[in-house]
């Protein structure tokens, strides 16, 4: 066997943020379990210790179910080490080892979700085994690239290019999400102040839901519709914005300054169009 096949091309791990999320969820489940026991401590203590255990299990069915999936299915995947070779990938978790030979792969499918939203791809071996590689595995696109060097017939070029490009810049996408999340003033305006203003405009100009039990209830119904519409439109605009920004990353990846300026311009444009489109629709509804 050649030295290239013996030496891993790269060692991959799941994103550190996912490890933190895992332990947050793990801790939350333990806390929830303690709360359930505390709230039902009197009922649990009535009877023998065997009856107490049975009561705890019955009361904790949902939490134990989630905990089982988290510990048995999620933990091995998230904390495994993935050694990528030219012709295979080896997955290590504690003393366990799984080996996937690329020439044994029978089919490959992409998930419905894009890489930005934890999408990825799954493979099926000729033995029937299935493995999934999510975008939160750092370098998942490199695994795909190695697979297709061995079996290029598994995926069409267009799908491959789209996935690889979006996976390559997933760190930048998450960075943009974190940056937006930190700007709480903008979020407050976009998801509370602005929908409230639009709702008041409709509430004062049109007699929508006149059969509601009170004016306050009438306003709440209007606000609910406006808020849902705001959220959906914001999601759609965000997808469009992300697509355009990623194209800039691809085109100018050697020029960070140009990317930053383009990103700011695109974000400003989508924000302006978002507010103008919503205001125009509300004015139209108010006038009709």
């Amino acid at each position: 066997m050649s030295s290239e096949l013996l030496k891993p091309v790269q060692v991959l791990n799941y994103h550190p943020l996912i490890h933190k999320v895992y332990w947050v969820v793990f801790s939350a489940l333990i806390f929830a379990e303690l709360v359930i026991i505390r709230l039902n401590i009197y009922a649990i203590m009535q009877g023998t210790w065997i009856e107490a255990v049975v009561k705890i299990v019955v009361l904790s069915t949902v939490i134990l179910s989630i905990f089982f999936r988290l510990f048995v299915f999620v933990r091995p995947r998230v904390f495994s080490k993935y050694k990528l070779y030219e012709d295979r990938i080896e997955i290590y978790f504690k003393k366990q080892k799984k080996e996937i030979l690329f020439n044994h792969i029978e089919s490959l499918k992409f998930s419905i979700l894009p890489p930005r939203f934890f999408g990825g791809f799954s493979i099926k071996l000729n033995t029937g085994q299935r493995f999934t590689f999510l975008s939160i595995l750092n370098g998942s696109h490199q695994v795909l690239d190695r697979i297709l060097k061995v079996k290029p017939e598994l995926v069409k070029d267009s799908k491959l290019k789209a996935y690889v490009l979006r996976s390559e810049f997933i760190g930048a996408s998450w960075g943009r999400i974190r940056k937006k999340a930190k700007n709480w003033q903008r979020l407050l305006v976009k998801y509370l102040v602005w929908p409230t203003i639009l709702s008041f405009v409709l509430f004062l100009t049109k007699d929508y839901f006149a059969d509601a039990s009170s004016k306050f209830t009438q306003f709440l119904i209007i606000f609910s519709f406006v808020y849902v519409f705001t959220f959906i439109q914001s999601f759609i605009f965000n997808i469009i914005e992300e697509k355009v920004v990623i194209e800039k990353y691809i085109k100018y990846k050697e020029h960070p300054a140009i990317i930053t300026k383009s990103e700011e311009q695109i974000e400003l444009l989508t924000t302006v169009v978002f507010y103008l489109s919503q205001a125009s629709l509300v004015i139209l509804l108010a006038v009709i």
Side-chain angles (χ1 to χ4, degrees):
M1 186 176 290
S2 65
S3 59
E4 287 80 7
L5 296 179
L6 291 172
K7 183 180 179 181
V9 176
Q10 193 167 353
V11 177
L12 310 175
N13 296 283
Y14 268 79
H15 197 282
L17 177 63
I18 304 304
H19 296 170
K20 294 178 182 178
V21 171
Y22 175 89
W23 288 118
V24 168
V25 174
F26 186 90
S27 302
L29 288 174
I30 293 177
F31 178 75
E33 179 65 19
L34 292 175
V35 170
I36 288 175
I37 293 175
R38 176 65 184 85
L39 292 176
N40 298 276
I41 189 66
Y42 181 77
I44 291 172
M45 297 303 294
Q46 301 299 312
T48 65
W49 68 271
I50 296 178
E51 292 174 335
V53 171
V54 172
K55 289 176 183 177
I56 292 174
V57 171
V58 172
L59 290 168
S60 311
T61 302
V62 175
I63 290 179
L64 291 177
S65 175
I66 298 173
F67 183 83
F68 176 79
R69 289 176 173 82
L70 193 69
F71 191 80
V72 175
F73 298 110
V74 177
R75 185 177 64 101
R77 176 182 295 178
V78 168
F79 292 99
S80 288
K81 181 181 292 185
Y82 297 75
K83 291 187 177 181
L84 178 62
Y85 295 83
E86 296 285 351
D87 65 334
R88 69 193 186 280
I89 185 168
E90 296 176 354
I91 305 173
Y92 294 87
F93 178 70
K94 296 187 179 297
K95 295 182 179 181
Q96 302 175 11
K97 174 188 173 182
K98 295 178 181 178
E99 184 180 65
I100 302 173
L101 298 175
F102 296 153
N103 60 0
H104 288 181
I105 297 175
E106 186 177 272
S107 62
L108 186 151
K109 292 182 179 180
F110 292 102
S111 64
I112 297 175
L113 293 175
R116 187 189 186 199
F117 297 111
F118 311 134
F121 64 92
S122 61
I123 59 173
K124 179 182 178 183
L125 304 182
N126 52 20
T127 59
Q129 288 181 293
R130 296 178 183 271
F131 294 89
T132 300
F133 297 89
L134 302 177
S135 60
I136 47 180
L137 173 66
N138 284 330
S140 64
H141 60 283
Q142 296 179 35
V143 179
L144 180 62
D145 181 59
R146 293 292 169 185
I147 290 174
L148 296 179
K149 282 184 178 179
V150 177
K151 299 196 72 173
E153 69 275 10
L154 290 173
V155 178
K156 293 181 179 180
D157 289 342
S158 58
K159 289 186 177 181
L160 170 63
K161 184 179 179 181
Y163 180 82
V164 170
L165 290 177
R166 281 157 180 75
S167 297
E168 185 178 353
F169 296 106
I170 191 170
S173 294
W174 289 353
R176 294 180 66 248
I177 292 175
R178 286 195 295 269
K179 182 181 176 181
K180 288 185 177 183
K182 289 179 180 179
N183 193 339
W184 63 268
Q185 297 94 333
R186 177 181 290 185
L187 293 176
L188 185 66
V189 170
K190 189 174 185 178
Y191 294 107
L192 182 60
V193 177
W194 182 245
T196 302
I197 293 173
L198 296 182
S199 299
F200 263 116
V201 171
L202 291 175
F203 176 74
L204 296 174
T205 55
K206 286 287 183 177
D207 198 20
Y208 292 110
F209 309 104
D211 56 343
S213 58
S214 66
K215 289 292 184 180
F216 180 71
T217 303
Q218 186 178 346
F219 174 78
L220 283 181
I221 295 173
I222 295 173
F223 178 82
S224 299
F225 277 99
V226 171
Y227 189 85
V228 170
F229 177 72
T230 300
F231 184 82
I232 293 173
Q233 190 177 9
S234 177
F235 181 75
I236 294 171
F237 272 61
N238 186 264
I239 292 175
I240 296 171
E241 179 185 308
E242 181 69 15
K243 181 177 174 56
V244 177
V245 170
I246 291 297
E247 289 175 356
K248 295 296 182 182
Y249 270 95
I250 295 167
K251 186 176 181 180
Y252 300 108
K253 62 181 179 181
E254 303 298 331
H255 305 281
I258 297 177
I259 292 175
T260 302
K261 185 177 180 180
S262 299
E263 189 174 341
E264 291 173 353
Q265 292 173 344
I266 293 166
E267 188 173 339
L268 176 61
L269 178 62
T270 54
T271 301
V272 171
V273 174
F274 171 81
Y275 284 113
L276 286 177
S277 62
Q278 281 215 318
S280 300
L281 180 61
V282 169
I283 292 173
L284 181 63
L285 291 173
V287 171
I288 296 176

